[in-house]
Amino acid sequence: MTTMAPDAGTQDDAAYEARFNAAVAAEERIEPRDWMPDAYRASLVRQIAQHAHSEIIGMQPEANWITRAPSLRRKAILMAKVQDEAGHGLYLYSAAETLGTSRDELLDRLHAGRQKYSSIFNYPTLTWADVGAIGWLVDGAAITNQVPLCRCSYGPYARAMVRICKEESFHQRQGYELLLALSKGTEAQHAMAQDAVNRWWWPSLMMFGPPDDESAHSAQSMAWRIKRHSNDELRQRFVDICVPQAESLGLTLPDPDLTWDEERGHYAFGPIDWDEFREVLRGNGPCNEQRINQRRTAHEEGAWVREAATAYAAKQAERSRHGYRAPQDQQQGDTQEEDIA
Amino acid sequence: MNPAPASAALALGDDALVLSHRLGEWAGHAPVLEEELALANIALDLLGQARVLLSLVGDEDELAYLREERAFRNLQLVEQPRGDFAHTIARQLYFSSYQRLLYEELAQGDTAIAELASKAVKEVDYHRDHAEHWTLRLGDGTAESHQRMQQALDALWRYTGEAFEPIEGLAVDWATLRARWTDRITTVLRQATLTLPNGPQSGAWAAGGGRQGVHTEPFGRMLAEMQHLHRSHPGATW
C-alpha cells in the first residue's frame, strides 16, 4: 500500500481510513509510511512490544541451564537457542521502531511494569527436562500462535515473523528430541521428563490467552487482520498436535479428560484453571518478581557500558569532522603496524 | 596428516571450553541486546573449537564432565569469574589476541590441530575485533568506563604471563608470539587512552600453573556447577 499521510492534517481522515480499510480487506500489506489509524498503530506497538519482551524475558528460564547442560552437544544447542531469542527480540524491537516507538522507550515500559510479556516465563525451570518441555510445548504453542502472524496486515511485523517462525520450529524439534532422549533413557531421566511435562502442560494451554468470550483485544485485531484465528481455535489446534506427539514420546499429558471427540474431530480437554492464569498475569506467579528484577538489574548495571559507547561514538564523530583519529596518535605519531580502529 | 599431540589438544581445548562456559554466564545479563548476541556467538565458536580439540584426545563429554579440577590444562585467565563487562572485555582482549596469533601459527602445521586452527582463525579474528572495539569504547568513553576498563586490565594482567610458556608438542616460537602479542595490546591500549599494566611483563609476579593443572579457587566452583548434572546420572546419555 502506498497511501501517504496527509501533509498538514487538513485532508479528510475519513478518506484515508476508507483507503486503509480497503487495503486491509484486499490483503495488502500496510507499510511504515502508510497512513494508519492511531488505534491500529497503538495496538500493534502493544502487541509487538509484548512479543519482543517475551523473547528477552524468555531467555532467562533457559539460560538458567546453560551452565549445567549435561553434554557439550546439548550445551551448544541451548546456547544457540537462547541466542536466537535475543535475535528475535532485536527484530521485533526493530519492527516496533518502524511504528515510531524506540527500543529504549519500550524497555522502560517493561521495566516499569507498564507492558507485559508472556506469563509462561513466570514459571521456573526446575530440572534439565524443563528445557525440553519449554522447547516442545512452549515453543510449540508459540509457533501455533505465530504462524498466522506471518500474514499479519502490518508488513514489518509479518516479515519478522517469517524468520522467527523458522527458528522457532527448529527450537520445537530440539525440545521434542531432548525429551525423547530422556523418555527413552534411565528411569530417573524418564521421570524427570514426565514431571516437566506435567508442570508445563497447563501453562502452555494458557499461552493462547483467555477464552474467546473474555478476550479484550481479539475482535478489533481480527478485523484489522493482525490476528487471524481466535484464542480457542488456536488452543484446540495445539492440543490436537500435541496428543499424538506425547504418545510418540512415551509420556502422558496431565489431563484425565483428554479424549478424542469423534463428532467434532478434535480432542476434548479438561477445564483450564483461569484463576491461576489471572493470578500469574497480576504478578503473583512463582517467578514474576525474579524475572523482572533480573532484567532491570542487567539494564541498570549495563548503563555505564551504553553511556561509554554513546560517548565514544560522539567523540569519533567529532574527530572525523576535524579530520583526526585519536588524541594519542596525534601526540605519539602513527607507529603501529596495523590500524585497529 | 600427523596425529595431534594430546597434551596440546587438551590445553587448547580446555582454554576454549572454560572460556565458553564463562561467557555463557552472561546469557540474560548483558548490558545491551546486541551483546547478548555477540557474547553468545563467541561462546558458541569457542565451544565448537573445544569439541573438536577434546575429541582429538578422547570422548568430549568424559573429558569435560568427568575430569577432576587438577586434570584440566586451561590457562587461569579463562577460568576467572566473569566480573563486570570491563573484566569480560579485558579478558577477551588478552585471550583472543593470544589465540588469534597462536592459531595463525598453528595453521601452518600438518596435524589435526592445524586443520582446526586454520578454520578457527577466521572466527577468532572476529572475537579479537569485538574485544578491541569495546576496549576503545570503554577506554575512550566516559570517565567511569575508562576507570573500570583500566582496573580490569590491571586485575587480569597477572594471568597473561603463563600463556607464553611452551605447550608440549607445539612447535611455536613463544618469545616471538609474546612480542607480537605485547605489541598488539600496547597499540590498542594506547589508542583507547589506557595504560599497559605494569605487571609480569616487566618482571613482576605472574600467576601460572593452569597448564600443569594448578587452578584458582573459583574454578572448582565453576566445575561443580558444570559437572553436577552429568555426574548425578552415571552412564546416562542425553
Side-chain angles (χ1 to χ4, degrees):
Chain A
M1 183 180 160
T2 52
T3 312
M4 297 293 289
D7 292 337
T10 51
Q11 305 214 16
D12 186 7
D13 268 8
Y16 283 101
E17 186 149 13
R19 253 181 283 172
F20 168 86
N21 288 334
V24 167
E27 299 284 342
E28 284 173 32
R29 288 278 156 82
I30 306 300
E31 296 299 335
R33 290 160 63 87
D34 292 337
W35 185 93
M36 63 187 84
D38 291 344
Y40 174 85
R41 184 184 299 274
S43 183
L44 274 170
V45 169
R46 180 187 57 77
Q47 182 172 337
I48 297 172
Q50 185 167 325
H51 192 166
H53 299 332
S54 301
E55 295 285 355
I56 63 165
I57 295 276
M59 295 169 70
Q60 292 182 29
E62 293 182 282
N64 184 36
W65 282 93
I66 287 179
T67 53
R68 292 177 290 171
S71 74
L72 297 186
R73 174 174 167 266
R74 291 289 175 200
K75 189 172 184 166
I77 294 171
L78 182 57
M79 268 192 197
K81 179 175 194 266
V82 174
Q83 188 196 27
D84 281 349
E85 279 149 16
H88 297 174
L90 268 186
Y91 314 150
L92 289 163
Y93 286 119
S94 302
E97 284 185 340
T98 65
L99 292 159
T101 313
S102 72
R103 193 203 308 179
D104 285 347
E105 274 175 86
L106 295 177
L107 285 175
D108 286 346
R109 289 182 207 168
L110 170 68
H111 299 152
R114 287 188 290 120
Q115 275 180 341
K116 295 199 181 303
Y117 53 89
S118 179
S119 277
I120 193 80
F121 300 121
N122 291 318
Y123 292 89
T125 47
L126 302 177
T127 73
W128 169 250
D130 290 39
V131 172
I134 287 187
W136 178 44
L137 294 172
V138 175
D139 293 328
I143 294 166
T144 310
N145 260 330
Q146 291 169 6
V147 164
L149 290 173
C150 299
R151 294 186 294 129
C152 158
S153 59
Y154 187 59
Y157 191 29
R159 288 188 288 272
M161 292 315 301
V162 171
R163 184 155 174 190
I164 289 172
C165 283
K166 277 186 196 152
E167 291 177 354
E168 290 293 354
S169 108
F170 176 74
H171 297 168
Q172 198 262 351
R173 285 203 297 276
Q174 69 77 31
Y176 179 89
E177 196 246 325
L178 191 164
L179 285 178
L180 189 64
L182 294 179
S183 180
K184 292 189 182 311
T186 65
E187 212 173 301
Q189 286 177 306
H190 181 90
M192 192 192 280
Q194 185 62 60
D195 169 61
V197 168
N198 292 349
R199 283 181 287 109
W200 287 93
W201 173 249
W202 289 108
S204 300
L205 294 191
M206 295 175 196
M207 282 176 70
F208 296 91
D212 293 348
D213 47 10
E214 293 171 30
S215 177
H217 303 289
S218 279
Q220 182 61 72
S221 288
M222 299 266 273
W224 278 331
R225 309 273 165 109
I226 295 174
K227 209 173 151 120
R228 297 273 173 176
H229 307 280
S230 79
N231 295 353
D232 287 331
E233 273 170 46
L234 291 167
R235 189 169 9 247
Q236 181 68 60
R237 187 179 292 179
F238 177 67
V239 172
D240 291 347
I241 291 169
C242 287
V243 174
Q245 289 183 349
E247 281 167 16
S248 311
L249 281 170
L251 298 171
T252 59
L253 296 171
D255 179 358
D257 297 330
L258 201 58
T259 47
W260 176 250
D261 181 340
E262 194 69 57
E263 217 168 285
R264 289 196 305 128
H266 290 294
Y267 283 94
F269 51 94
I272 292 171
D273 182 357
W274 291 113
D275 288 340
E276 176 181 321
F277 176 76
R278 280 184 285 269
E279 275 305 303
V280 178
L281 204 62
R282 206 170 288 152
N284 299 324
C287 300
N288 297 57
E289 237 173 275
Q290 178 189 329
R291 300 285 185 244
I292 205 71
N293 281 344
Q294 180 178 326
R295 185 86 268 299
R296 275 192 208 123
T297 304
H299 193 72
E300 285 161 14
E301 286 180 355
W304 69 270
V305 177
R306 298 188 301 276
E307 284 158 15
T310 307
Y312 179 73
K315 286 183 194 176
Q316 286 297 92
E318 184 67 17
R319 283 167 196 154
S320 72
R321 258 197 299 281
H322 295 287
Y324 59 77
R325 287 213 315 264
Q328 299 292 313
D329 291 340
Q330 288 241 313
Q331 291 155 21
Q332 301 178 11
D334 199 16
T335 53
Q336 68 268 36
E337 49 177 354
E338 266 181 277
D339 182 29
I340 288 148
Chain B
M1 187 182 296
N2 294 320
S7 53
L10 206 56
L12 302 181
D14 285 348
D15 280 351
L17 177 73
V18 172
L19 184 55
S20 165
H21 185 94
R22 286 300 193 195
L23 288 172
E25 292 173 349
W26 274 101
H29 298 277
V32 62
L33 203 42
E34 283 79 355
E35 285 308 299
E36 291 283 1
L37 285 157
L39 295 172
N41 210 57
I42 296 168
L44 273 167
D45 286 345
L46 290 167
L47 185 53
Q49 294 169 19
R51 295 181 67 191
V52 172
L53 289 161
L54 294 181
S55 297
L56 296 175
V57 182
D59 178 83
E60 60 176 29
D61 286 336
E62 268 180 49
L63 288 166
Y65 292 100
L66 299 176
R67 266 183 301 161
E68 298 291 332
E69 177 178 335
R70 297 279 274 112
F72 278 81
R73 291 291 178 265
N74 55 281
L75 299 170
Q76 292 180 354
L77 174 67
V78 296
E79 75 201 31
Q80 298 311 307
R82 69 169 165 87
D84 68 0
F85 189 69
H87 278 76
T88 284
I89 292 302
R91 170 166 48 203
Q92 286 304 109
L93 178 72
Y94 289 156
F95 184 77
S96 61
S97 304
Y98 161 73
Q99 206 190 24
R100 172 68 180 70
L101 293 166
L102 182 59
Y103 277 11
E104 184 186 325
E105 204 145 318
L106 296 178
Q108 312 303 320
D110 63 350
T111 64
I113 290 184
E115 196 184 343
L116 176 273
S118 64
K119 282 183 195 149
V121 76
K122 296 177 202 109
E123 62 199 31
V124 177
D125 206 43
Y126 159 78
H127 304 171
R128 183 177 67 175
D129 194 57
H130 173 262
E132 287 181 346
H133 278 93
W134 270 110
T135 300
L136 294 175
R137 289 187 197 107
L138 299 184
D140 195 16
T142 64
E144 182 184 2
S145 70
H146 179 91
Q147 189 202 358
R148 281 178 183 259
M149 190 63 201
Q150 188 63 56
Q151 272 172 1
L153 289 163
D154 292 348
L156 293 174
W157 183 253
R158 63 165 55 172
Y159 298 108
T160 58
E162 71 164 323
F164 304 99
E165 285 165 22
I167 297 173
E168 194 194 323
L170 295 186
V172 170
D173 179 349
W174 296 95
T176 305
L177 192 76
R178 184 175 191 152
R180 290 179 67 199
W181 181 86
T182 308
D183 273 357
R184 183 89 189 184
I185 300 288
T186 306
T187 304
V188 185
L189 296 190
R190 195 186 67 228
Q191 265 190 283
T193 73
L194 293 159
T195 312
L196 192 74
N198 181 24
Q201 307 293 351
S202 55
W205 175 77
R211 295 281 187 235
Q212 288 78 47
V214 177
H215 295 280
T216 55
E217 287 182 350
F219 190 48
R221 213 165 284 113
M222 190 205 105
L223 287 183
E225 183 174 342
M226 183 173 102
Q227 296 182 336
H228 105 272
L229 178 58
H230 185 97
R231 284 178 180 257
S232 302
H233 297 262
T237 48
W238 301 92

